[in-house]
Structure formats: C-alpha cells, structure tokens
Amino acid sequence: MSGVVGAGVLVGLIALAVRPAEPTRPAPTSAAALATPSSDGVAVDAEWLTATAASQGIPERALAAYGAADLGARATYGCAVGWNTLAGIGWVESRHGALEGGAVDGDGVARPAIIGIPLDGTNRTMAIPDTDGGALDGDAVWDRAVGPLQFIPETWAIWAVDADGDGRTDPHDIDDAAATAARYLCQAHGTLDSPEAWIGAIRSYNDTDDYQRQVAEAATRYAEGG
C-alpha cells in the first residue's frame, strides 16, 4: 500500500496468466508449538511451518502470521486468501520485515520500524496528506506506509485487526498486519476465488502492473514450493 500511481488494470489472458496457483493450505491444529497467538484460537501446524519456512526461505515468525491470517480469513470470511498471497505481499513490501537488515522479532514486531517515504506526490507516489497526526508514521504533514505489510495510516484505521489479542492494533506487528491484510483483501473484494477478484484485490493494495506481477510471481513460487 505504498501509494504508487497505477497504470491501468490488466484484463483477459494477461490477467489469467498472472494469478497465482491455488494456495497451499497450512494444516490447522491447536497444539502447534510455533503457532501464532490469536484471539480466535487459530494456529498453524508446527511441522508444516518449520518445513515450509526452511524450503521457502521465509522467517518462521512471519510465515506463522501469514498462515494464521489465511486460516482466520477462511473461518471468518469464507475467503481463501492463501498464505502464499500474503507471503507474496510481505516479500514485495518488506522482504518479510527484513529490509535494511531488520527482522521480525519473537513477539512478531518488525525492528527497526519500517516506515516508507512521504506520500507527497513526488517519486511516483500519490499525494496523501496526513490522516493520523503522525501517530503511526511520525509525519504530521504527509502519510507514509508503515510496517512489514506497508499500510497507509488511513487504511489501517479502517481495517485494523488485533490478531494476537494484546488489546491494541499495531501495523508493525506482523500478526496484526497479516490479519488486517487478509481482512482488507477479503472483505473489500469477496472470496478471491476468481482471477478478476484476486487481481482487483492486489491492485487495490498497489495499483501498478509491476506490483501485480511481483506479488503474483512470489505467491506462485511459494505455492509451488510450499
């Protein structure tokens, strides 16, 4: 959600070509040793988590959040967003929280905080004046995308989910961020079970051809290898 100006929606065969494969589904279990804490009890199978993190090069803590968010979306919204779609977004937006030497810690928080450039209309961005008084992004003039999944403060205010049940919503917490991304994609764009719906959801996150292709390529790679 970096606010980059788009170049139009792909249609027809091009649209079909870039949709990722059917998402691989992490197995739910209430006894997962490395499960993501969740207010609704959703957990990700520990064996699947360890094996998939190793094979795909995704940090386990980030993958746990993507898997739990996918399972939660299926149970809550009837929407198969796919852990691999969330992982594709996480890779493109912040390399799963690892930009510039950072990492997601054991509590699920990206450190140091990931804060984007001012969305002031330059550098191919949309001009988005401040909407949160700088509370999330430290900028009281222009909004900036924040956290490992790069939410704009205004969008976060509407869709934020407290996935880890700590009583607050934090875009820098990958549990909250992944669950919020799943909610946004599913509730704004339906079940995501058609190429058109999936593409519309991804382009609502960042409306450019290049972004759509990057997320689709990463999501497909994760699905095929995970």
Side-chain angles (χ1 to χ4, degrees):
M1 290 200 172
S2 54
V4 178
V5 178
V9 178
L10 296 182
V11 295
L13 293 177
I14 296 176
L16 292 172
V18 297
R19 182 174 182 257
E22 178 67 19
T24 302
R25 302 185 180 189
T29 173
S30 60
L34 295 175
T36 300
S38 172
S39 57
D40 62 3
V42 171
V44 178
D45 181 75
E47 184 176 349
W48 175 89
L49 177 62
T50 299
T52 302
S55 68
Q56 296 302 307
I58 302 173
E60 284 193 16
R61 193 62 186 79
L63 182 58
Y66 303 144
D70 176 37
L71 292 172
R74 293 170 191 270
T76 303
Y77 315 123
C79 171
V81 61
W83 69 267
N84 59 307
T85 291
L86 297 171
I89 293 172
W91 168 255
V92 174
E93 294 289 359
S94 72
R95 297 302 188 262
H96 309 303
L99 278 181
E100 299 183 358
V104 173
D105 67 15
D107 292 328
V109 178
R111 302 184 191 280
I114 301 170
I115 300 177
I117 62 175
L119 300 178
D120 58 5
T122 64
N123 297 304
R124 298 181 64 241
T125 66
M126 297 171 60
I128 305 178
D130 174 65
T131 61
D132 70 334
L136 294 178
D137 56 15
D139 190 335
V141 178
W142 300 100
D143 267 354
R144 300 175 182 233
V146 296
L149 293 183
Q150 289 289 276
F151 277 96
I152 296 169
E154 183 177 24
T155 305
W156 185 259
I158 297 170
W159 298 98
V161 175
D162 176 16
D164 54 13
D166 65 358
R168 63 193 185 96
T169 56
D170 180 1
H172 301 288
D173 183 320
I174 200 162
D175 296 324
D176 291 357
T180 298
R183 180 189 181 199
Y184 172 79
L185 295 170
C186 290
Q187 291 200 307
H189 299 280
T191 60
L192 307 188
D193 57 359
S194 72
E196 294 77 14
W198 188 90
I199 289 169
I202 297 304
R203 294 192 74 110
S204 72
Y205 219 91
N206 186 321
D207 191 20
T208 67
D209 294 346
D210 185 55
Y211 185 81
Q212 177 189 325
R213 290 193 183 97
Q214 288 185 57
V215 172
E217 288 170 0
T220 298
R221 181 173 69 249
Y222 290 141
E224 291 175 345

